[in-house]
Each structure stands twice: as structure tokens, then as C-alpha cells.
Amino acid sequence: MARRTKEQAAETREQLLDAAERVFCSKGVAQTTLDDIAREAGLTRGALYWHFKNKTDLFSAMCDRVSLPMQAMLDATVLEPGSDPLGRLSRDGARILRQVSEDPRTMRVFEILMFRVELNDVVQTVLQAEKERGQHCRVQLTEVLRAAKAQGQLPGHVDCGLGAYALNSFMIGCIREWLEYREFNLADRSEWLMDTFFAGLRNAPPPPTGVAEFKSEPTVSK
């Protein structure tokens, strides 16, 4: 009985998060109330408060459902880049692009973060956490690119920190542009997009003379 009660609580929490995604996406974060979310979920406001302290707590949990699987994928690659680090990054990048275009949950969360948030107290804390997560992501990408360079997959002159910055910006840009315009099938073109980026990185020209390497982020501790 206790196990079933725990399962029911987990199901209710997911139901509330699903409802929050839908309402945030349609009304925007600032215009959405907790009553809106409870009604969308077919639950009481009391049930919502049982699982979440406030709208900020709920918004953060909604973002984490998408962010954590992607972070776990990068964590695994940093720990064990294997014999083909660039190939693995390219495949993982294509998988993320496909997930954005094919998984409704991922698509909604990215739409909310990119188009439906307003700078207020509800989202400031979450956006700061997302910023820190993004910085950590670039640190990890830098480590994987260093492993690729050590294995001869990239020219010795490639600035891995700047390469990580470019890759992160490329991915975010692809997702944002596709979500806004939907001009093509992102899933079908995901591998081509990633292959094109890494083809450019493999053939990157030497940096200008006298330009220091990009080192704004610390090295990931192993």
C-alpha cells in the first residue's frame, strides 16, 4: 500500500509538471497562476502545494526534467570519451536536436525558456541556474575537444575552449531558429547539421598571431 501511495504521488507530480508545461507555453510564465496549473492538471491547489513550494519551485522542476538527461549524456562522455570523441559528440548533438523536434516535453520546455519567460522573480533564480549549467556544459565540451585533439582528430592549433563556445552557440542557435520558424524537419537534418559543424572545426584555420587562447572557464576536475 505504501509503495502504491508513493507511486501515486510521483504520478501526481508528473501530472502537475505536464500541466505547467502546457500552461506556461500557452500563457507565458508571468501570466500563469498556480490555480491555472492546478485546473489544467484536474487537481486542487492543495495538491500542487503538496509537491511544490511556489511557482519558482515548479518552474525549476519542469526545466530539470529536460536538462538532467542531457547533462548525464555529457557527464558520461567526459568520463569516457572513447576512441572517437568527435564522433560521439556529433551523434549526441544530433540526438539532442532530434529530441527537441520529436519529444513534446523537450520541445515545450525549450519554447518556454526561449520565448515565454519574462525577467521577474519567478524565473531569475532558475535562469541563473541555467546559466551556470550552460557554463559547466562548455567546460565539459572543452574537455572532450581536448581529448579529440590529443587523439589527432583536430589540428593542434584548435582552441578547444573557443571550439566548445562555438559548438554550444551553434546548438542553441539551431534549436532557437527551428522552434521559431519550423522551416524544415529538424530530425531529418540533425546529423547533417552536426557533421557540418565538425567538418568546419576539423578544418579550422590557425588563430591570428598574438591572440591568446580562450580560457574563461576552469578545467573540469576529474
Side-chain angles (χ1 to χ4, degrees), residues 52-73:
F52 305 102
K53 294 182 295 184
N54 48 41
K55 189 161 69 168
T56 302
D57 188 33
L58 191 155
F59 182 68
S60 178
M62 182 202 72
C63 294
D64 283 345
R65 288 202 302 179
V66 169
S67 299
L68 292 180
M70 294 182 180
Q71 187 61 62
M73 188 164 56

Side-chain angles (χ1 to χ4, degrees), residues 84-91 144-145 148 153-154 198 201-202:
D84 183 18
L86 284 194
R88 186 167 180 177
L89 270 186
S90 185
R91 290 189 295 273
V144 179
L145 293 179
Q153 291 190 310
L154 290 173
F198 283 108
L201 196 60
R202 289 188 184 95

Side-chain angles (χ1 to χ4, degrees), residues 9 13 17 34 39 42 49 55-56 81 86 107 110-111 115 122 134 139 151 153 158 182 191 194 198-199 201 203 217:
R13 186 176 188 275
L17 290 172
L34 293 180
R39 279 196 300 271
Y49 275 117
K55 189 161 69 168
T56 302
L86 284 194
M107 188 185 302
F110 271 100
E111 285 179 338
F115 304 113
V122 173
V139 172
Q151 295 186 33
Q153 291 190 310
V158 165
R182 316 289 177 100
E191 291 184 6
M194 298 310 303
F198 283 108
L201 196 60
N203 293 280
E217 307 295 350

Side-chain angles (χ1 to χ4, degrees), residues 18-30:
D18 289 342
E21 284 178 8
R22 294 192 294 270
V23 183
F24 285 149
C25 200
S26 64
K27 297 184 66 173
V29 177

Side-chain angles (χ1 to χ4, degrees), residues 141-217:
L141 289 173
T142 300
E143 290 298 296
V144 179
L145 293 179
R146 285 175 179 160
K149 186 159 70 170
Q151 295 186 33
Q153 291 190 310
L154 290 173
H157 61 257
V158 165
D159 184 331
C160 293
L162 196 57
Y165 178 89
L167 175 55
N168 192 60
S169 300
F170 176 79
M171 295 279 300
I172 292 172
C174 285
I175 291 169
R176 184 181 182 91
E177 288 289 301
W178 182 81
L179 286 172
E180 187 165 9
Y181 299 110
R182 316 289 177 100
E183 295 173 315
F184 60 93
N185 187 315
L186 182 60
D188 288 348
R189 302 295 182 90
S190 60
E191 291 184 6
W192 183 90
L193 287 166
M194 298 310 303
D195 288 345
T196 299
F197 175 87
F198 283 108
L201 196 60
R202 289 188 184 95
N203 293 280
T209 304
V211 174
E213 186 176 351
F214 182 79
K215 292 182 179 180
S216 67
E217 307 295 350

Side-chain angles (χ1 to χ4, degrees), residues 88-123:
R88 186 167 180 177
L89 270 186
S90 185
R91 290 189 295 273
D92 287 348
R95 192 177 303 121
I96 290 171
L97 294 179
R98 286 195 300 272
Q99 183 177 342
V100 170
S101 66
E102 295 177 336
D103 178 59
R105 173 181 296 169
T106 304
M107 188 185 302
R108 280 196 298 266
V109 171
F110 271 100
E111 285 179 338
I112 293 164
L113 285 172
M114 291 180 169
F115 304 113
R116 306 298 287 166
V117 296
E118 303 82 4
L119 293 180
N120 57 29
D121 292 341
V122 173
V123 299

